[in-house]
């Protein structure tokens, strides 16, 4: 067990609307998911209402010592999943471009939360890959 790494689960605060959260500061742990990491896996598990993005560190010059980082959306419901399939998708999907919590149209008005207390997270990768996920909370697994 000496060489085994202990996983850490860190709850992220409710982000302000429209603030880009691709770079995350966890009180001394700075994660730049755009420049230092590639997305290697996307998992939506409807049985557990969990949406997970897994990132692998590609910039070895960074001070971050976490090779794998998971963003975990709890009580998640997939609103939109858009992939434009062409020869560039596999390479372009790796780099997350933006992620923020935003408003959505709820009948005739813009809302911040749905009836279950979930916020809508907008996630964008290069080449038009877009994901929209409703979630009550967001965790980082290190």
């Amino acid at each position: 067990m000496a060489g085994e790494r202990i996983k850490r689960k860190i709850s992220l605060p409710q982000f302000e609307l429209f603030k880009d959260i691709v770079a995350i500061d966890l009180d001394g742990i700075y994660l730049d998911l755009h420049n230092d990491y590639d997305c290697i896996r996307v998992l939506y598990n409807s049985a557990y209402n969990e949406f997970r993005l897994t990132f692998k560190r590609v910039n070895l010059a960074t001070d971050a010592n976490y090779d794998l980082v998971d963003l975990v959306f709890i009580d998640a419901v997939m609103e939109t999943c858009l992939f434009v399939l062409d020869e560039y998708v596999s390479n372009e999907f790796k780099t997350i471009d933006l992620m923020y919590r935003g408003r959505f149209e709820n009948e005739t008005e813009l809302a911040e939360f749905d009836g279950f207390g979930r916020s809508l997270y907008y996630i964008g990768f290069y080449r038009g890959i877009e994901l929209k996920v409703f979630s009550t909370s967001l965790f980082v697994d290190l």
Side-chain angles (χ1 to χ4, degrees):
M1 245 172 66
E4 190 175 315
R5 233 179 112 228
I6 298 172
K7 296 279 286 180
R8 294 177 60 191
K9 186 174 200 157
I10 300 170
S11 177
L12 296 176
Q14 185 75 264
F15 290 99
E16 68 183 73
L17 288 173
F18 310 113
K19 178 183 178 189
D20 190 5
I21 54 177
V22 170
I24 303 170
D25 188 357
L26 303 170
D27 293 330
I29 301 171
Y30 181 75
L31 302 171
D32 184 347
L33 299 176
H34 174 78
N35 293 306
D36 298 337
Y37 289 84
D38 279 349
C39 185
I40 60 169
R41 188 173 75 160
V42 175
L43 173 66
Y44 177 62
N45 187 330
S46 63
Y48 296 107
N49 293 335
E50 180 182 279
F51 177 67
R52 184 178 292 258
L53 296 171
T54 302
F55 295 87
K56 182 177 181 179
R57 184 171 63 135
V58 293
N59 181 0
L60 300 179
T62 183
D63 290 337
N65 61 355
Y66 296 97
D67 291 329
L68 289 177
V69 173
D70 285 320
L71 284 184
V72 184
F73 296 81
I74 304 299
D75 192 24
V77 175
M78 183 70 68
E79 169 70 14
T80 301
C81 180
L82 170 65
F83 292 93
V84 178
L85 297 175
D86 62 24
E87 66 271 14
Y88 302 107
V89 165
S90 64
N91 287 330
E92 299 297 334
F93 185 75
K94 294 177 184 178
T95 303
I96 190 167
D97 192 34
L98 65 99
M99 179 171 50
Y100 62 91
R101 189 176 73 86
R103 292 190 180 109
F104 59 94
E105 194 169 320
N106 188 4
E107 296 179 16
T108 60
E109 64 183 15
L110 289 177
E112 188 174 341
F113 300 98
D114 70 2
F116 300 99
R118 294 181 294 227
S119 295
L120 184 60
Y121 288 87
Y122 294 81
I123 305 165
F125 292 85
Y126 286 141
R127 306 280 305 168
I129 298 169
E130 300 173 7
L131 304 169
K132 294 179 187 173
V133 178
F134 280 98
S135 177
T136 57
S137 58
L138 179 60
F139 286 87
V140 174
D141 280 348
L142 301 171

